Amino acid sequence: MSLRDQPSPQSVSTATAGGPHGSRPAVGLGRQLLRRKPLGQMLHEAETGSGGRKLVRSFGVFQLTMISVGATLGTGILVILGDSVPLAGPAVFISFLIAGIAALLSAVSYAEMAGMVPAAGSSYSYTYVTLGEGMAWICGWCLVLEYAVSVAAVSVGAGQYINESLAAFGWALPDAISQPPGAGGLLNLPAMAIVLLSMVLLIRGAKESAWVNTAIVIVKIAILLFFCAIAFSAFSIGNLSPLMPMGAAGVSAAASRVFFSYIGFDAASTAGEEAKNPQRDLPRAIMLSMIIVTTLYVLVAVAAVGAREWTWFDGTQAALVQILLEVTHQPWIALVFSVGAVLAIASIVLTVLYGQTRILMSMSRDGLVPKIFGRISEKRGTPVAGTLIVGIVVALTAGLVPLGALADATSIGTLFAFALVNIAVIYLRRNRPELKRSYKVAFYPVTPILGALMCIYLMVNLGGHTWVVFLAWMMVGLLAYFGYGRRHSKVAALSEDEYQELSTRSIETDSAPSEDTNTVKAP
């Protein structure tokens, strides 16, 4: 079915029906959990929007790449490097490589799916069209953990760098207002302020937010290169020995933790309904961002552990600023870097918060979360109400919860969602080989299988406490699904005849293109 050949009005109205209090699903629980959302219907909704209003298509490949880089670059280096080096020793750069390879294996699967399903729901949407409503809900619930909690986790680190900036003037924020409870304070006000400012910017409009993010990303790359130039001037090969003082287990444990540093690359896929040419530009943006981020992470990690012994990092906050101070003895250099680091953290908060609101918008469109998250403002062209709700909840989380608990919980939810995307690629290759793919994963099926296995391996390496948090989060998700999503699901409300009619229609492609002209091949 071409996008011009939309489902009948009767089918569409039925699919989007649902009273204010929900309706009884047309099928039993088992069949509902396995019902896949028709792919043509998903694209139709992306083109028509929510309630007759749709998002504005204003992003090209450059803006999409900057969204992905903005959401990814800096987290592990600026915030959790001090926690990772004591686990891996000087081999922390190997941990970044391992996590980067795991992320890259999933990134190529994301690229293929983003080219086929240019909707705003990221891996939630991909899972819905392949594995059914049950797994889609689980994936979406994991994405809430990934996006919203990672915003809180990253913004928690802002207080450290704001204090480093103020230190140049002999000032410091008291712990009571710069640290959360459990870390010596009452409320992390800098973290809350960054989230709320990002929320206000997102409400103003996606295009304006994208340009602000692009400017900040350029500053972020510049300060990391600036750090490398200074740190390499103090590089000592002796600091890399012993390379793995904690053994391979320590390197693996650190890889599981620093995987948190890569979780933003899929933010570009949440912009599927705001991209000018999503089938072409989304895969390119995802792959370009992964190359940029991995290169810079490894470069900065090598520079940092080469400049200082690995034991020095234990308990050190804002480690990169401390290295600059000790190498140059110039407070103004630390001030410049700290200001840049705060901007870098703001960029991550802005882009990841953006992704969260778009995923909830997609889930709302399907009836699985309340309608308010999918309501698009006619004036702003953005989901204003959903952005306000998410922003306030995340700000409170950032102000009250310590970083360590947030980072580990985020990683496990992300890894689970990534594994599902790899499985989705395999499913669609086997069951829908006729669909247009603007990007194809190389070495199929080895690549997506390795991607899924690598995600599972990193999940296993996370601590028992993290698993307890994850399972508790899943239990809350199940209660939310049975309390609201099951009764309001629009796909479940379709009669069997309507569902079969929509499912038998395929998305077309204008004509099946030849791989050498229209398909972007994996490197």
Side-chain angles (χ1 to χ4, degrees):
M1 176 181 73
S2 165
L3 288 178
R4 297 182 294 274
D5 180 21
Q6 302 295 357
S8 66
Q10 179 183 1
S11 297
V12 173
S13 63
T14 306
T16 57
H21 304 293
S23 58
R24 184 179 180 85
V27 294
L29 176 60
R31 183 169 293 184
Q32 179 177 350
L33 293 175
L34 294 175
R35 262 199 174 184
R36 303 178 185 95
K37 185 170 184 179
L39 197 47
Q41 180 68 12
M42 182 171 288
L43 288 188
H44 170 72
E45 291 172 354
E47 288 300 309
T48 57
S50 301
R53 298 172 186 166
K54 59 182 180 178
L55 301 173
V56 180
R57 293 193 178 275
S58 58
F59 297 157
V61 67
F62 178 72
Q63 287 90 350
L64 292 169
T65 303
M66 291 298 100
I67 287 173
S68 188
V69 173
T72 311
L73 182 62
T75 313
I77 292 296
L78 295 172
V79 180
I80 62 172
L81 182 65
D83 295 329
S84 304
V85 175
L87 291 174
V92 68
F93 69 93
I94 299 177
S95 299
F96 275 105
L97 277 175
I98 293 172
I101 291 170
L104 181 61
L105 289 170
S106 295
V108 294
S109 291
Y110 262 93
E112 178 165 325
M113 294 301 297
M116 276 197 304
V117 190
S122 186
S123 51
Y124 158 76
S125 296
Y126 310 155
T127 304
Y128 210 162
V129 300
T130 55
L131 302 178
E133 182 170 297
M135 292 305 295
W137 171 263
I138 292 173
C139 183
W141 196 243
C142 284
L143 289 175
V144 172
L145 186 65
E146 172 191 346
Y147 280 80
V149 179
S150 68
V151 168
V154 172
S155 57
V156 165
Q160 300 171 9
Y161 283 99
I162 289 175
N163 267 337
E164 292 297 334
S165 301
L166 294 175
F169 304 97
W171 302 337
L173 292 174
D175 285 348
I177 61 170
S178 63
Q179 297 292 340
L186 298 175
L187 195 66
N188 192 329
L189 285 181
M192 296 181 69
I194 286 179
V195 174
L196 293 175
L197 287 172
S198 298
M199 178 192 74
V200 171
L201 185 57
L202 286 173
I203 288 173
R204 288 184 58 84
K207 187 175 181 180
E208 293 85 350
S209 301
W211 281 113
V212 170
N213 172 67
T214 298
I216 296 176
V217 168
I218 292 171
V219 171
K220 178 158 52 174
I221 293 173
I223 65 164
L224 290 176
L225 293 176
F226 173 67
F227 168 80
C228 290
I230 293 177
F232 275 121
S233 69
F235 188 90
S236 171
I237 195 66
N239 289 336
L240 300 183
S241 181
L243 185 62
M244 292 189 285
M246 302 299 178
V251 174
S252 296
S256 296
R257 172 159 289 189
V258 302
F259 189 83
F260 173 76
S261 311
Y262 289 91
I263 65 171
F265 76 80
D266 57 330
S269 66
T270 66
E273 294 177 31
E274 290 160 280
K276 295 176 183 176
N277 189 342
Q279 284 89 350
R280 182 195 67 188
D281 293 343
L282 284 175
R284 293 179 180 180
I286 290 171
M287 299 308 296
L288 278 172
S289 67
M290 283 301 301
I291 293 170
I292 293 169
V293 168
T294 303
T295 300
L296 282 170
Y297 274 167
V298 173
L299 188 64
V300 173
V302 171
V305 296
R308 286 294 176 269
E309 294 182 1
W310 70 276
T311 53
W312 176 90
F313 289 85
D314 192 12
T316 302
Q317 293 188 336
L320 301 191
V321 174
Q322 296 300 324
I323 291 173
L324 291 176
L325 274 173
E326 292 185 11
V327 171
T328 65
H329 304 290
Q330 298 292 328
W332 70 267
I333 290 181
L335 172 63
V336 169
F337 187 88
S338 297
V339 171
V342 172
L343 289 174
I345 290 170
S347 169
I348 297 167
V349 171
L350 176 67
T351 48
V352 177
L353 193 64
Y354 162 84
Q356 175 66 92
T357 59
R358 271 48 179 181
I359 288 167
L360 285 173
M361 184 190 73
S362 293
M363 296 178 74
S364 173
R365 182 185 290 161
D366 294 330
L368 299 184
V369 299
K371 293 180 180 179
I372 191 169
F373 290 102
R375 201 172 293 159
I376 296 174
S377 166
E378 184 175 3
K379 179 180 179 182
R380 301 291 185 186
T382 61
V384 171
T387 303
L388 276 170
I389 294 170
V390 172
I392 292 170
V393 171
V394 170
L396 290 173
T397 305
L400 297 171
V401 183
L403 170 64
L406 290 172
D408 287 347
T410 301
S411 293
I412 196 167
T414 304
L415 287 163
F416 187 82
F418 285 5
L420 289 178
V421 173
N422 285 292
I423 295 170
V425 167
I426 296 171
Y427 174 87
L428 284 182
R429 284 283 192 102
R430 286 176 59 87
N431 294 278
R432 301 297 297 275
E434 81 283 0
L435 295 178
K436 176 183 178 181
R437 291 166 171 83
S438 58
Y439 176 93
K440 285 189 174 182
V441 172
F443 308 114
Y444 172 87
V446 174
T447 302
I449 290 173
L450 285 177
L453 292 175
M454 183 70 84
C455 290
I456 294 170
Y457 169 75
L458 291 176
M459 287 177 71
V460 169
N461 275 280
L462 289 168
H465 174 73
T466 304
W467 276 95
V468 171
V469 172
F470 178 67
L471 292 175
W473 179 257
M474 288 295 101
M475 291 302 297
V476 173
L478 287 175
L479 293 174
Y481 176 75
F482 286 106
Y484 185 92
R486 166 153 165 73
R487 294 183 295 109
H488 292 78
S489 169
K490 293 174 182 176
V491 172
L494 291 168
S495 70
E496 193 63 36
D497 289 342
E498 290 166 337
Y499 178 72
Q500 290 301 327
E501 178 189 356
L502 287 172
S503 297
T504 52
R505 302 182 181 190
S506 79
I507 314 181
E508 203 190 86
T509 79
D510 294 70
S511 57
S514 62
E515 290 190 358
D516 59 328
T517 57
N518 294 321
T519 300
V520 180
K521 287 190 175 183

